[in-house]
Amino acid sequence: MENAIRHIHFDSIDSTNAEARRLIADGKISTPVLITADTQTAGRGRMGRSFYSPDGTGLYMSFVFPAPDLVRISGLITPAAAVAAHQAILHLTGITTQIKWVNDLYFEGKKICGILCESVQASGACYVIVGIGINLTTRGFPDGLRAPAGSLLSEDRTPPPDLTNTLALDISRRLTEDIRSDFARATEHLAIYREHSFLDGKRVNCTVGERTFDGTALGIGDDFSLSVLTDSGEAVNISSGEASVKLTERQGHRFC
């Protein structure tokens, strides 16, 4: 792999993940590529949801790379991306975020970052797209969001110079190091993931395939799964699906 990361920037785009798919289809991905945009008109989240991407208030990026050994590393990619975003934010702003299984970062109880990892096959080769959206100074979120949305920086805090660009490059650099090392830092990532886990000890509502159940989140397993003790007393490890924080009936609602 080349030392320099190829960086493509757009003032506006439908979705950086969609652009990554177009580059793959055109045969233009042979080394890691970073795609960023000032705004997305059709930003995407997990489960077909949209990601609110107003102009100039957030980081909207996709990091795409060839993955010939996709099956073996597939369970390590999203945790590596979450840890990379967590560490880059800490390094550049001094702010400590929490990691909500499986793909979000939270700050002061609100979601400030979403991660969407996708795999693509084209011409017999495998690729991974890591889409990351971070609310830096975003305000005025639309109604109906599943999670209480927030921003990393308060209104009275001036962003560090060129934060959006330096944050994107820092995250990309960390992910590139993971690829080059064949994800050798997975044990280190697990320790960070566990230390900053948002769900530990919380009441959760879980959806795994067609099954939905309530329980208490116990922690993160060695394979980055979520360990849950169900209300029926069953201990389960969730490797895919969703877990939403379940608030008390007195509070009257729940959020993801």
Side-chain angles (χ1 to χ4, degrees), residues 143-178:
D143 295 333
L145 297 180
R146 287 175 57 87
S151 293
L152 186 68
L153 302 176
S154 60
E155 293 186 31
D156 59 354
R157 178 164 180 172
T158 302
D162 201 22
L163 176 61
T164 303
N165 188 57
T166 55
L167 194 54
L169 292 173
D170 195 315
I171 293 170
S172 299
R173 176 184 60 79
R174 294 174 190 275
L175 288 174
T176 299
E177 290 176 358
D178 287 325

Short mmCIF file of all heavy atoms in Angstrom, two decimals, residues 143-178:
data_model
loop_
_atom_site.label_atom_id
_atom_site.label_comp_id
_atom_site.label_asym_id
_atom_site.label_seq_id
_atom_site.Cartn_x
_atom_site.Cartn_y
_atom_site.Cartn_z
N ASP A 143 -37.20 16.19 13.68
CA ASP A 143 -38.00 15.34 14.56
C ASP A 143 -37.98 13.90 14.07
O ASP A 143 -37.72 13.63 12.90
CB ASP A 143 -39.46 15.84 14.60
CG ASP A 143 -39.58 17.23 15.21
OD1 ASP A 143 -38.72 17.57 16.03
OD2 ASP A 143 -40.53 17.93 14.84
N GLY A 144 -38.24 12.98 14.99
CA GLY A 144 -38.40 11.58 14.62
C GLY A 144 -37.13 10.77 14.62
O GLY A 144 -37.16 9.60 14.20
N LEU A 145 -36.00 11.33 15.05
CA LEU A 145 -34.77 10.54 15.12
C LEU A 145 -34.91 9.46 16.20
O LEU A 145 -35.47 9.70 17.26
CB LEU A 145 -33.58 11.44 15.44
CG LEU A 145 -33.24 12.51 14.40
CD1 LEU A 145 -32.03 13.31 14.86
CD2 LEU A 145 -32.95 11.88 13.04
N ARG A 146 -34.37 8.28 15.91
CA ARG A 146 -34.48 7.17 16.86
C ARG A 146 -33.63 7.40 18.11
O ARG A 146 -33.97 6.92 19.18
CB ARG A 146 -34.06 5.86 16.18
CG ARG A 146 -35.07 5.32 15.18
CD ARG A 146 -34.54 4.11 14.47
NE ARG A 146 -34.16 3.05 15.40
CZ ARG A 146 -34.99 2.12 15.87
NH1 ARG A 146 -36.26 2.14 15.52
NH2 ARG A 146 -34.55 1.19 16.69
N ALA A 147 -32.55 8.10 17.95
CA ALA A 147 -31.66 8.35 19.09
C ALA A 147 -31.64 9.84 19.41
O ALA A 147 -31.84 10.67 18.54
CB ALA A 147 -30.24 7.88 18.75
N PRO A 148 -31.43 10.19 20.69
CA PRO A 148 -31.27 11.61 21.03
C PRO A 148 -29.96 12.11 20.44
O PRO A 148 -28.89 11.69 20.83
CB PRO A 148 -31.23 11.59 22.57
CG PRO A 148 -30.72 10.24 22.92
CD PRO A 148 -31.23 9.31 21.86
N ALA A 149 -30.05 12.99 19.46
CA ALA A 149 -28.86 13.44 18.75
C ALA A 149 -28.23 14.64 19.43
O ALA A 149 -28.92 15.50 19.98
CB ALA A 149 -29.21 13.76 17.31
N GLY A 150 -26.92 14.71 19.37
CA GLY A 150 -26.20 15.84 19.92
C GLY A 150 -24.99 16.15 19.07
O GLY A 150 -24.76 15.53 18.03
N SER A 151 -24.22 17.11 19.52
CA SER A 151 -23.01 17.52 18.81
C SER A 151 -21.80 17.41 19.72
O SER A 151 -21.92 17.53 20.95
CB SER A 151 -23.15 18.95 18.30
OG SER A 151 -24.12 19.03 17.29
N LEU A 152 -20.66 17.21 19.11
CA LEU A 152 -19.43 17.07 19.88
C LEU A 152 -19.04 18.38 20.55
O LEU A 152 -18.59 18.38 21.70
CB LEU A 152 -18.31 16.60 18.94
CG LEU A 152 -16.98 16.27 19.60
CD1 LEU A 152 -17.11 15.01 20.46
CD2 LEU A 152 -15.90 16.05 18.53
N LEU A 153 -19.25 19.50 19.86
CA LEU A 153 -18.81 20.79 20.38
C LEU A 153 -20.01 21.65 20.75
O LEU A 153 -20.95 21.79 19.98
CB LEU A 153 -17.97 21.52 19.33
CG LEU A 153 -16.72 20.77 18.83
CD1 LEU A 153 -16.04 21.56 17.73
CD2 LEU A 153 -15.76 20.51 19.99
N SER A 154 -19.98 22.23 21.93
CA SER A 154 -21.04 23.10 22.38
C SER A 154 -20.99 24.43 21.63
O SER A 154 -19.99 24.76 20.97
CB SER A 154 -20.92 23.35 23.88
OG SER A 154 -19.67 23.96 24.18
N GLU A 155 -22.06 25.20 21.72
CA GLU A 155 -22.15 26.46 20.97
C GLU A 155 -21.08 27.46 21.39
O GLU A 155 -20.68 28.31 20.60
CB GLU A 155 -23.54 27.07 21.16
CG GLU A 155 -24.65 26.25 20.55
CD GLU A 155 -25.99 26.96 20.63
OE1 GLU A 155 -25.98 28.21 20.60
OE2 GLU A 155 -27.01 26.28 20.74
N ASP A 156 -20.61 27.36 22.63
CA ASP A 156 -19.63 28.33 23.10
C ASP A 156 -18.19 27.86 22.92
O ASP A 156 -17.25 28.49 23.40
CB ASP A 156 -19.87 28.67 24.57
CG ASP A 156 -19.79 27.44 25.47
OD1 ASP A 156 -19.67 26.31 24.94
OD2 ASP A 156 -19.88 27.61 26.70
N ARG A 157 -18.02 26.73 22.21
CA ARG A 157 -16.68 26.21 22.00
C ARG A 157 -16.28 26.37 20.54
O ARG A 157 -16.96 25.88 19.65
CB ARG A 157 -16.58 24.74 22.40
CG ARG A 157 -15.19 24.15 22.16
CD ARG A 157 -14.96 22.86 22.87
NE ARG A 157 -13.64 22.33 22.61
CZ ARG A 157 -13.12 21.27 23.23
NH1 ARG A 157 -13.83 20.63 24.14
NH2 ARG A 157 -11.91 20.85 22.94
N THR A 158 -15.17 27.04 20.28
CA THR A 158 -14.69 27.24 18.92
C THR A 158 -13.95 25.99 18.44
O THR A 158 -13.05 25.50 19.13
CB THR A 158 -13.72 28.43 18.85
OG1 THR A 158 -14.40 29.60 19.32
CG2 THR A 158 -13.24 28.66 17.43
N PRO A 159 -14.34 25.43 17.29
CA PRO A 159 -13.66 24.23 16.79
C PRO A 159 -12.18 24.50 16.52
O PRO A 159 -11.82 25.60 16.08
CB PRO A 159 -14.41 23.92 15.49
CG PRO A 159 -15.71 24.64 15.60
CD PRO A 159 -15.43 25.87 16.41
N PRO A 160 -11.33 23.53 16.76
CA PRO A 160 -9.92 23.69 16.38
C PRO A 160 -9.82 23.95 14.88
O PRO A 160 -10.69 23.52 14.11
CB PRO A 160 -9.30 22.34 16.76
CG PRO A 160 -10.21 21.79 17.81
CD PRO A 160 -11.58 22.26 17.44
N PRO A 161 -8.78 24.64 14.42
CA PRO A 161 -8.64 24.94 12.99
C PRO A 161 -8.68 23.68 12.13
O PRO A 161 -8.01 22.69 12.43
CB PRO A 161 -7.27 25.63 12.92
CG PRO A 161 -7.04 26.17 14.30
CD PRO A 161 -7.68 25.19 15.22
N ASP A 162 -9.48 23.72 11.07
CA ASP A 162 -9.55 22.64 10.08
C ASP A 162 -9.87 21.30 10.72
O ASP A 162 -9.37 20.25 10.30
CB ASP A 162 -8.22 22.55 9.31
CG ASP A 162 -8.38 21.85 7.97
OD1 ASP A 162 -9.51 21.81 7.45
OD2 ASP A 162 -7.38 21.32 7.47
N LEU A 163 -10.73 21.31 11.75
CA LEU A 163 -11.01 20.08 12.49
C LEU A 163 -11.59 18.99 11.60
O LEU A 163 -11.21 17.82 11.72
CB LEU A 163 -11.98 20.37 13.64
CG LEU A 163 -12.43 19.15 14.46
CD1 LEU A 163 -11.23 18.46 15.10
CD2 LEU A 163 -13.45 19.56 15.51
N THR A 164 -12.50 19.35 10.71
CA THR A 164 -13.15 18.33 9.88
C THR A 164 -12.12 17.55 9.07
O THR A 164 -12.14 16.31 9.04
CB THR A 164 -14.18 18.98 8.93
OG1 THR A 164 -15.13 19.71 9.71
CG2 THR A 164 -14.91 17.92 8.14
N ASN A 165 -11.22 18.26 8.43
CA ASN A 165 -10.22 17.61 7.58
C ASN A 165 -9.22 16.80 8.40
O ASN A 165 -8.90 15.66 8.06
CB ASN A 165 -9.49 18.66 6.74
CG ASN A 165 -8.56 18.03 5.71
OD1 ASN A 165 -8.98 17.24 4.87
ND2 ASN A 165 -7.29 18.37 5.79
N THR A 166 -8.73 17.39 9.48
CA THR A 166 -7.73 16.68 10.29
C THR A 166 -8.34 15.45 10.97
O THR A 166 -7.67 14.42 11.12
CB THR A 166 -7.12 17.61 11.34
OG1 THR A 166 -8.16 18.19 12.15
CG2 THR A 166 -6.32 18.71 10.70
N LEU A 167 -9.61 15.53 11.34
CA LEU A 167 -10.28 14.39 11.96
C LEU A 167 -10.43 13.26 10.95
O LEU A 167 -10.17 12.09 11.27
CB LEU A 167 -11.64 14.83 12.49
CG LEU A 167 -12.39 13.91 13.45
CD1 LEU A 167 -11.53 13.53 14.64
CD2 LEU A 167 -13.68 14.58 13.91
N ALA A 168 -10.83 13.59 9.73
CA ALA A 168 -10.98 12.57 8.68
C ALA A 168 -9.66 11.90 8.39
O ALA A 168 -9.59 10.66 8.26
CB ALA A 168 -11.55 13.21 7.42
N LEU A 169 -8.60 12.69 8.29
CA LEU A 169 -7.29 12.12 7.99
C LEU A 169 -6.76 11.28 9.15
O LEU A 169 -6.12 10.24 8.94
CB LEU A 169 -6.30 13.23 7.65
CG LEU A 169 -6.58 13.97 6.32
CD1 LEU A 169 -5.64 15.15 6.17
CD2 LEU A 169 -6.43 13.01 5.15
N ASP A 170 -7.02 11.72 10.38
CA ASP A 170 -6.57 10.97 11.56
C ASP A 170 -7.26 9.61 11.62
O ASP A 170 -6.62 8.58 11.83
CB ASP A 170 -6.84 11.76 12.83
CG ASP A 170 -6.10 11.23 14.04
OD1 ASP A 170 -6.09 10.01 14.24
OD2 ASP A 170 -5.55 12.04 14.81
N ILE A 171 -8.57 9.60 11.42
CA ILE A 171 -9.32 8.33 11.42
C ILE A 171 -8.81 7.43 10.31
O ILE A 171 -8.59 6.22 10.52
CB ILE A 171 -10.82 8.59 11.26
CG1 ILE A 171 -11.38 9.31 12.49
CG2 ILE A 171 -11.58 7.28 11.03
CD1 ILE A 171 -12.81 9.82 12.32
N SER A 172 -8.60 7.98 9.13
CA SER A 172 -8.13 7.19 8.00
C SER A 172 -6.75 6.61 8.26
O SER A 172 -6.45 5.47 7.90
CB SER A 172 -8.11 8.04 6.73
OG SER A 172 -9.39 8.51 6.42
N ARG A 173 -5.89 7.42 8.87
CA ARG A 173 -4.55 6.94 9.19
C ARG A 173 -4.61 5.76 10.16
O ARG A 173 -3.91 4.75 9.98
CB ARG A 173 -3.72 8.07 9.81
CG ARG A 173 -2.32 7.64 10.27
CD ARG A 173 -1.59 8.79 10.95
NE ARG A 173 -2.30 9.29 12.12
CZ ARG A 173 -2.27 8.69 13.31
NH1 ARG A 173 -1.60 7.55 13.48
NH2 ARG A 173 -2.92 9.22 14.34
N ARG A 174 -5.46 5.85 11.15
CA ARG A 174 -5.58 4.77 12.12
C ARG A 174 -6.12 3.50 11.46
O ARG A 174 -5.64 2.38 11.73
CB ARG A 174 -6.48 5.20 13.28
CG ARG A 174 -5.90 6.32 14.13
CD ARG A 174 -6.88 6.83 15.19
NE ARG A 174 -6.41 8.04 15.82
CZ ARG A 174 -5.56 8.08 16.87
NH1 ARG A 174 -5.14 6.94 17.40
NH2 ARG A 174 -5.18 9.23 17.39
N LEU A 175 -7.10 3.65 10.60
CA LEU A 175 -7.65 2.49 9.90
C LEU A 175 -6.62 1.89 8.93
O LEU A 175 -6.54 0.66 8.78
CB LEU A 175 -8.93 2.87 9.16
CG LEU A 175 -10.14 3.14 10.04
CD1 LEU A 175 -11.31 3.66 9.20
CD2 LEU A 175 -10.56 1.87 10.79
N THR A 176 -5.85 2.74 8.29
CA THR A 176 -4.80 2.25 7.40
C THR A 176 -3.78 1.43 8.16
O THR A 176 -3.32 0.37 7.71
CB THR A 176 -4.12 3.42 6.67
OG1 THR A 176 -5.08 4.11 5.88
CG2 THR A 176 -3.01 2.92 5.76
N GLU A 177 -3.41 1.89 9.35
CA GLU A 177 -2.48 1.14 10.19
C GLU A 177 -3.06 -0.22 10.56
O GLU A 177 -2.34 -1.23 10.59
CB GLU A 177 -2.14 1.93 11.45
CG GLU A 177 -1.28 3.17 11.19
CD GLU A 177 -1.04 3.99 12.44
OE1 GLU A 177 -1.58 3.61 13.52
OE2 GLU A 177 -0.32 5.00 12.36
N ASP A 178 -4.36 -0.25 10.83
CA ASP A 178 -4.99 -1.53 11.15
C ASP A 178 -4.94 -2.48 9.96
O ASP A 178 -4.66 -3.68 10.12
CB ASP A 178 -6.45 -1.31 11.57
CG ASP A 178 -6.58 -0.70 12.94
OD1 ASP A 178 -5.75 -1.02 13.81
OD2 ASP A 178 -7.51 0.10 13.16
#
